[in-house]
mmCIF file of all heavy atoms in Angstrom:
data_model
loop_
_atom_site.group_PDB
_atom_site.id
_atom_site.type_symbol
_atom_site.label_atom_id
_atom_site.label_comp_id
_atom_site.label_asym_id
_atom_site.label_seq_id
_atom_site.Cartn_x
_atom_site.Cartn_y
_atom_site.Cartn_z
ATOM 1 N N GLN A 36 96.832 96.257 118.797
ATOM 2 C CA GLN A 36 97.528 96.294 117.503
ATOM 3 C C GLN A 36 96.618 96.801 116.388
ATOM 4 O O GLN A 36 97.055 97.568 115.526
ATOM 5 C CB GLN A 36 98.067 94.907 117.154
ATOM 6 C CG GLN A 36 99.230 94.483 118.019
ATOM 7 C CD GLN A 36 99.688 93.065 117.716
ATOM 8 O OE1 GLN A 36 98.995 92.294 117.074
ATOM 9 N NE2 GLN A 36 100.867 92.722 118.205
ATOM 10 N N ILE A 37 95.360 96.394 116.405
ATOM 11 C CA ILE A 37 94.408 96.869 115.395
ATOM 12 C C ILE A 37 94.192 98.372 115.531
ATOM 13 O O ILE A 37 94.192 99.103 114.539
ATOM 14 C CB ILE A 37 93.076 96.100 115.499
ATOM 15 C CG1 ILE A 37 93.276 94.659 115.033
ATOM 16 C CG2 ILE A 37 91.984 96.773 114.681
ATOM 17 C CD1 ILE A 37 92.076 93.765 115.252
ATOM 18 N N ILE A 38 94.030 98.851 116.759
ATOM 19 C CA ILE A 38 93.821 100.279 117.008
ATOM 20 C C ILE A 38 95.054 101.081 116.593
ATOM 21 O O ILE A 38 94.934 102.133 115.954
ATOM 22 C CB ILE A 38 93.482 100.528 118.497
ATOM 23 C CG1 ILE A 38 92.170 99.853 118.881
ATOM 24 C CG2 ILE A 38 93.434 102.014 118.805
ATOM 25 C CD1 ILE A 38 90.960 100.278 118.131
ATOM 26 N N ASP A 39 96.249 100.604 116.918
ATOM 27 C CA ASP A 39 97.476 101.307 116.538
ATOM 28 C C ASP A 39 97.612 101.407 115.019
ATOM 29 O O ASP A 39 97.970 102.463 114.488
ATOM 30 C CB ASP A 39 98.706 100.610 117.127
ATOM 31 C CG ASP A 39 98.783 100.748 118.640
ATOM 32 O OD1 ASP A 39 98.069 101.610 119.193
ATOM 33 O OD2 ASP A 39 99.547 99.982 119.263
ATOM 34 N N LYS A 40 97.318 100.329 114.318
ATOM 35 C CA LYS A 40 97.424 100.329 112.859
ATOM 36 C C LYS A 40 96.382 101.254 112.240
ATOM 37 O O LYS A 40 96.667 101.952 111.261
ATOM 38 C CB LYS A 40 97.248 98.897 112.332
ATOM 39 C CG LYS A 40 97.566 98.746 110.889
ATOM 40 C CD LYS A 40 99.036 98.931 110.647
ATOM 41 C CE LYS A 40 99.370 98.573 109.214
ATOM 42 N NZ LYS A 40 100.757 98.800 108.884
ATOM 43 N N THR A 41 95.178 101.298 112.814
ATOM 44 C CA THR A 41 94.124 102.178 112.312
ATOM 45 C C THR A 41 94.502 103.643 112.520
ATOM 46 O O THR A 41 94.286 104.473 111.630
ATOM 47 C CB THR A 41 92.792 101.872 113.022
ATOM 48 O OG1 THR A 41 92.505 100.480 112.898
ATOM 49 C CG2 THR A 41 91.657 102.660 112.410
ATOM 50 N N LYS A 42 95.079 103.958 113.676
ATOM 51 C CA LYS A 42 95.543 105.323 113.931
ATOM 52 C C LYS A 42 96.658 105.712 112.973
ATOM 53 O O LYS A 42 96.708 106.847 112.484
ATOM 54 C CB LYS A 42 96.047 105.459 115.367
ATOM 55 C CG LYS A 42 94.965 105.526 116.403
ATOM 56 C CD LYS A 42 95.581 105.655 117.787
ATOM 57 C CE LYS A 42 94.536 105.667 118.867
ATOM 58 N NZ LYS A 42 95.121 105.730 120.223
ATOM 59 N N GLU A 43 97.552 104.772 112.701
ATOM 60 C CA GLU A 43 98.673 105.017 111.793
ATOM 61 C C GLU A 43 98.186 105.358 110.381
ATOM 62 O O GLU A 43 98.769 106.190 109.698
ATOM 63 C CB GLU A 43 99.552 103.769 111.761
ATOM 64 C CG GLU A 43 100.780 103.876 110.907
ATOM 65 C CD GLU A 43 101.562 102.575 110.932
ATOM 66 O OE1 GLU A 43 101.868 102.082 112.041
ATOM 67 O OE2 GLU A 43 101.849 102.061 109.831
ATOM 68 N N LEU A 44 97.094 104.719 109.948
ATOM 69 C CA LEU A 44 96.537 104.967 108.615
ATOM 70 C C LEU A 44 95.532 106.119 108.592
ATOM 71 O O LEU A 44 94.953 106.416 107.543
ATOM 72 C CB LEU A 44 95.874 103.691 108.086
ATOM 73 C CG LEU A 44 96.814 102.519 107.840
ATOM 74 C CD1 LEU A 44 96.022 101.267 107.493
ATOM 75 C CD2 LEU A 44 97.807 102.848 106.737
ATOM 76 N N ASN A 45 95.305 106.764 109.753
ATOM 77 C CA ASN A 45 94.419 107.922 109.890
ATOM 78 C C ASN A 45 92.968 107.627 109.507
ATOM 79 O O ASN A 45 92.335 108.391 108.777
ATOM 80 C CB ASN A 45 94.943 109.114 109.084
ATOM 81 C CG ASN A 45 96.236 109.633 109.620
ATOM 82 O OD1 ASN A 45 96.464 109.614 110.826
ATOM 83 N ND2 ASN A 45 97.111 110.075 108.738
ATOM 84 N N TYR A 46 92.428 106.530 110.007
ATOM 85 C CA TYR A 46 91.014 106.214 109.826
ATOM 86 C C TYR A 46 90.314 106.296 111.164
ATOM 87 O O TYR A 46 90.922 106.109 112.215
ATOM 88 C CB TYR A 46 90.831 104.809 109.229
ATOM 89 C CG TYR A 46 91.283 104.721 107.793
ATOM 90 C CD1 TYR A 46 92.339 103.896 107.434
ATOM 91 C CD2 TYR A 46 90.677 105.466 106.808
ATOM 92 C CE1 TYR A 46 92.766 103.807 106.126
ATOM 93 C CE2 TYR A 46 91.103 105.385 105.485
ATOM 94 C CZ TYR A 46 92.140 104.558 105.152
ATOM 95 O OH TYR A 46 92.562 104.476 103.858
ATOM 96 N N LYS A 47 89.008 106.561 111.126
ATOM 97 C CA LYS A 47 88.231 106.660 112.355
ATOM 98 C C LYS A 47 87.840 105.273 112.826
ATOM 99 O O LYS A 47 87.649 104.358 112.035
ATOM 100 C CB LYS A 47 86.981 107.491 112.117
ATOM 101 C CG LYS A 47 87.274 108.946 111.838
ATOM 102 C CD LYS A 47 85.999 109.718 111.656
ATOM 103 C CE LYS A 47 86.304 111.176 111.354
ATOM 104 N NZ LYS A 47 85.068 111.946 111.136
#
Side-chain angles (χ1 to χ4, degrees):
Q36 289 176 345
I37 290 173
I38 297 300
D39 291 345
K40 190 68 172 177
T41 306
K42 284 180 182 177
E43 182 181 307
L44 295 173
N45 294 326
Y46 290 117
K47 293 182 181 178

